[in-house]
Amino acid sequence: MKDFITLSDWSTKELWGLIDLAVHLKFEWKSGGNRPIMHGKTLAMVFEKPSLRTRVSFEVAMKQLGGDAIRIGPDEVGLGKRESVADVARVLAVYTQGIMARVFDHEYVLELAKWADVPVINGLSDAHHPCQAMGDMLTIYEHFGRLERLKIAYVGDGNNVAASLVLAAAHFGMQFTIASPDGYMLSEEALEAAAPIAERNGGKIEVFNDPVKAVEGADIIYTDTWVSMGQEKETAQRMDMLKPYQVNKELVDKADKYAIVMHCLPAHRGHEITDDVADGTHSVIFPQAENRLHMQKAILVELLG
Ligand code: CP
Ligand code: NVA
């Protein structure tokens, strides 16, 4: 049973397959509609955290492919509280053909995958956000016509989004730089998982404290919130430490003249990104959000189709 939990579990060839499939399904959708590949299939979507893009894009993806999706919120399922993760997994696998889960503890999504004999998709955990990173690769690929040798600079908190992004960049032979303050760096675990993949594919990974060094000559500048879901108690300290890592006009001017600016959203305007950059000529944040839909379709077809 194939799952979609982290980008280290998939080969570079398989991930290229997802990009090609997403391009195809996007074209098909825009040319009049997708074939009903998911007819008779239902996706269970389990949420321990809020979501706009992930929830709506997965649900719409299933419906546009002729299937259905059910959102199960934290009050209903009580993952690991009302009922064990293993029991939830086995019950959902009886009713549905796939499970997408957004969780705090990454172990929960691994536990779901262990017990469910239907595919499990990680819709974000504290450690990874693989669907986001693949949607982002689709956006970059459409914009530049390639992925290999592009320089992507991530500025800010070394979080779940950054962990999946470094893996994606490694698979696609990109140069990945990240600038974060001490204490908010990308985990050693993520860097160690990405290093051999980058080496195999001609990619490069560099870690900095200085955002200016990271974005020099970058084709893509990427940022995300300074306070991820579940870290609300650390807000004051995080705001203070990450303040010098704001993606503003001054920083964007240090990158390539034709650089694009990306953000997985939700954005905290005036914090990690300024309004003029988020809404400016370099920004691709809304096409980026749109591509979540097309990439989810590819992931669904690959796993449940
Ligand atoms: N980028 C993203 O995953 O957005 P949501 O949290 O709204 O799903
Ligand atoms: N890093 C953010 C991403 C939201 C899509 C979080 O985990 O809250």
Side-chain angles (χ1 to χ4, degrees):
M1 180 62 53
K2 203 152 175 66
D3 302 300
F4 193 72
I5 311 274
T6 77
L7 299 182
S8 14
D9 315 328
W10 282 52
S11 72
T12 300
K13 198 171 160 221
E14 288 170 324
L15 295 178
W16 266 118
L18 285 181
I19 301 269
D20 289 342
L21 187 53
V23 168
H24 167 77
L25 290 165
K26 182 172 180 176
F27 178 78
E28 188 182 70
W29 172 251
K30 301 222 172 209
S31 316
N34 294 124
R35 282 167 303 130
I37 307 175
M38 291 296 153
H39 178 73
K41 298 196 173 171
T42 302
L43 178 74
M45 308 189 293
V46 179
F47 285 95
E48 284 195 302
K49 297 173 175 173
S51 170
L52 171 65
R53 280 143 291 270
T54 305
R55 185 261 161 103
V56 178
S57 61
F58 265 108
E59 185 163 337
V60 169
M62 280 305 284
K63 291 187 171 162
Q64 290 181 351
L65 290 165
D68 208 352
I70 302 172
R71 177 188 181 273
I72 307 150
D75 296 340
E76 291 153 283
V77 66
L79 205 56
K81 295 182 194 91
R82 181 169 182 264
E83 204 164 349
S84 76
V85 179
D87 285 359
V88 171
R90 285 175 288 184
V91 171
L92 287 176
V94 173
Y95 300 134
T96 69
Q97 286 65 51
I99 302 169
M100 187 277 286
R102 167 165 287 195
V103 300
F104 288 97
D105 189 346
H106 187 71
E107 288 299 320
Y108 274 29
V109 78
L110 293 173
E111 183 79 355
L112 282 170
K114 181 178 162 193
W115 290 98
D117 57 8
V118 296
V120 172
I121 299 168
N122 180 1
L124 180 147
S125 67
D126 284 349
H128 291 276
H129 198 1
C131 300
Q132 179 71 52
M134 284 306 293
D136 298 340
M137 291 297 124
L138 174 62
T139 303
I140 298 168
Y141 180 66
E142 284 179 337
H143 187 89
F144 292 97
R146 66 183 166 99
L147 292 171
E148 58 282 2
R149 295 182 309 284
L150 291 172
K151 176 170 173 176
I152 177 165
Y154 181 99
V155 179
D157 184 28
N159 60 16
N160 45 5
V161 168
S164 289
L165 215 49
V166 70
L167 282 166
H171 274 292
F172 295 112
M174 299 170 83
Q175 186 187 346
F176 180 90
T177 59
I178 180 164
S180 316
D182 290 339
Y184 298 90
M185 307 283 255
L186 192 49
S187 72
E188 280 304 316
E189 203 182 332
L191 290 168
E192 277 168 23
I197 302 173
E199 196 169 309
R200 276 203 300 280
N201 296 299
K204 194 175 164 191
I205 300 165
E206 286 176 296
V207 178
F208 299 102
N209 281 134
D210 182 358
V212 174
K213 276 212 178 100
V215 305
E216 257 170 24
D219 300 294
I220 303 121
I221 299 180
Y222 199 117
T223 191
D224 181 20
T225 183
W226 293 337
V227 186
S228 283
M229 292 177 276
Q231 299 173 333
E232 291 77 8
K233 280 196 189 121
E234 302 166 24
T235 300
Q237 195 187 351
R238 287 178 160 272
M239 291 286 190
D240 193 42
M241 289 300 289
L242 286 148
K243 214 179 196 138
Y245 294 81
Q246 184 183 67
V247 174
N248 50 35
K249 192 176 175 305
E250 201 187 333
L251 189 69
V252 174
D253 284 344
K254 304 279 193 301
D256 188 82
K257 205 167 113 191
Y258 299 106
I260 58 170
V261 173
M262 301 182 78
H263 191 310
C264 57
L265 304 178
H268 305 81
R269 290 158 175 264
H271 297 289
E272 77 272 5
I273 192 164
T274 53
D275 267 328
D276 57 340
V277 169
D279 299 326
T281 52
H282 294 272
S283 174
V284 299
I285 61 176
F286 296 112
Q288 177 183 3
E290 180 192 336
N291 276 335
R292 292 292 307 280
L293 171 67
H294 306 297
M295 183 49 70
Q296 316 305 25
K297 284 184 186 170
I299 295 166
L300 289 165
V301 169
E302 192 58 36
L303 292 178
L304 279 64

